[in-house]
Amino acid sequence: QVQLVESGGGLVQAGGSLRLSCAPSGRTFSSYAMGWFRQAPGKEREFVAAISRSGGNTNYADSVKGRFTISRDNAKNTVYLQMNSLKPEDTAVYYCAADFHNMWSIYTYEYDYWGQGTQVTVSS
């Protein structure tokens, strides 16, 4: 069993920055790929970014490419999502997820464990 706890969400003005953190527990952190997803009110959960077990491979949704950066520190058992140049359309609940079977994935159904989410609100 893996438990994921996100932190770092909040309210920020457009153009600002936030850094989300996710600290899994329960299994060896370096044994699974990690992803960030988000869900806005009335919309489906969507892929934001993913990172491989070693951190050597990353992938981003087109909507955040160049503004968001996913990274991981396997020594600290933490994955991060640095979000810069935030826009009102980035407002959503952000979730981290762990994937034991793939190098990384953009699909929600391929992730094995999910956090409870952290709210990010970007005001215009």
Side-chain angles (χ1 to χ4, degrees), residues 1-2 4 27 31-33 53 97-102 107-115:
Q1 187 75 14
V2 174
L4 308 176
R27 288 180 65 168
S31 66
Y32 39 90
R53 296 178 181 89
D99 178 0
F100 289 98
H101 304 101
N102 302 288
Y107 301 110
T108 57
Y109 60 82
E110 291 191 323
Y111 284 80
D112 302 285
Y113 296 98
W114 293 82

Side-chain angles (χ1 to χ4, degrees), residues 33-73:
M34 297 295 298
W36 286 97
F37 292 76
R38 66 187 182 187
Q39 188 166 18
K43 295 187 177 181
E44 291 188 353
R45 193 169 297 188
E46 65 175 4
F47 170 75
V48 175
I51 190 166
S52 61
R53 296 178 181 89
S54 68
N57 295 92
T58 58
N59 194 34
Y60 298 92
D62 288 343
S63 59
V64 306
K65 202 170 292 184
R67 300 189 297 123
F68 290 12
T69 302
I70 188 171
S71 61
R72 66 190 295 161
D73 185 336

Side-chain angles (χ1 to χ4, degrees), residues 29 59 65 79 83 104:
F29 180 61
N59 194 34
K65 202 170 292 184
V79 62
M83 305 185 295
W104 51 263

Side-chain angles (χ1 to χ4, degrees), residues 74-95:
N74 286 349
K76 294 183 178 180
N77 288 358
T78 304
V79 62
Y80 305 97
L81 185 68
Q82 178 67 44
M83 305 185 295
N84 299 329
S85 302
L86 282 161
K87 305 175 181 180
E89 51 263 44
D90 294 318
T91 295
V93 177
Y94 283 71
Y95 298 88

